[in-house]
Every structure is written in structure tokens, then in C-alpha cells.
Amino acid sequence: MQAANQISMPRAADSAELSTRAVAAHGAVPLRRRVGQRVFDVSVAVAALLVMSPLMVAIAVAVKISSPGPIIYRSRRYAFGGQRFGMLKFRTMVTADRQRELMNADPQANAHMSREFKLKDDPRVTTIGRLLRRTSLDELPQLINVVRGDMSIVGPRPKLEDEGTRYGGLLDLVLSVPPGITGSWQTSGRNDLPFERRIDLDVEYVIGRSFTWDLKICARTVAQLLSPKRHGAY
């Protein structure tokens, strides 16, 4: 599925200029629009937390009894403007020591992870974690990040610091808007996409973002969550 507003993609030579333009454009966004976006984010997040709270409690119990380790995993990510924050997820992996053992025992998986930052059939993922990832239920705690102001409902996915280096001069552009729970590449193939295509989709979103586009992404996200064919969810 292609992203909604198709835009001719810039390349490295234009990245610095685009970053400057995007940051300046964000600063020029009317206060009414920024307040409206925040009201939308908080309203959706609070409503979702109220509806999903029984399920979240059940997931927390399942994670706790299924394997050693904490219930919630905090992943350090880039936030709006280059700040850092702890993105919340239900823990889906074994403990850190066991993760290192498994990856050291599989050089091919280690190399793939270094290239794509995602790994299909990841040996570090627990049984309950595999189900949570397949259904995206591991992302539910990020609704708390939205309420706290770390994230929006829609935006580029929060970047790991290692991922940020791959964006080069386009990183400032992507960080000129708040990161989101869902976004363009989550509705266009997710982890099945090459990393370079994920960058393209993030840039397209930042340049052409609008409230209408956000609503379309939300609708596509719901459709994907309800679909039996969940491409790229692992």
C-alpha cells in the first residue's frame, strides 16, 4: 500500500536544506493547530486507555508469569526536537544477558539486525511476546507516552539512536514533528520494508502532513489491526 500524498522524494544532496525548511515550517504552525493536535492526541489516548485497561492488566499478568524480567520495557528513543525519552512497551524478549547469548550464537541474525534493526523469527522473543508483537498489543503502553506528551497518535516511529545515524541529514527533518504510535510505514508494509523505504515514508509524511492524512493513517491502522493478514508485524 502506498502512502497517501505521493511526493517526489529528496535525496542526500537536498537533506540539509529540507531539514532547515521543515523545522522552520513547524515553528510557523499556528497555535490553534498545535493545540488541536494535542487535544486530539490526549482524547484518543485517554479513551483508548479506559477501554483497553482490562486487556492491559491481563497482558501484564501474562508477561509477568511467562518469563523472568520486568513487565514494561523502556526503550530510549529520539523525541521531538532531538530530545530523548523512554518509549514504553510490554516486554516481549528474554532478559538482556540471555539476548546477548542468543545473538552471539547466530552471527547471521546479528548481521541482519545491524542492517534492518528488525529481525523476523527473532530468537530473543518469548512465546507470549511473539503473540503481542503479531497483534501489536505490545505497543499499548505507548498510550501513556502520548498522554505524557512524549508522542502523538500519528507520526514517524520513535528512532533508536543507532537508527538515527542512518537518517543522516534527514534526521532533523524527521524530528521536527513528534513521533507517533502509528505512521506511514506502519500502514505500508511495516518491518517487511527495506530501511531506506522507511526513511522515504517518514520524510513524505513530515513534508505533507495534515490532520486529514493523520485520520487516513488511523483508519488504515485500525483496518490492519483487524485484518487476518498482518504483513510485517513481528
Side-chain angles (χ1 to χ4, degrees), residues 178-190:
I181 292 180
T182 188
S184 294
W185 65 264
Q186 282 71 40
T187 58
S188 305
R190 297 189 62 166

Side-chain angles (χ1 to χ4, degrees), residues 171-182:
L171 181 61
D172 286 345
L173 185 153
V174 173
L175 298 181
S176 69
V177 301
I181 292 180
T182 188

Side-chain angles (χ1 to χ4, degrees), residues 24 81 120 129 152 159 161:
K120 197 170 186 177
S152 286
K159 306 293 178 284
E161 293 187 1

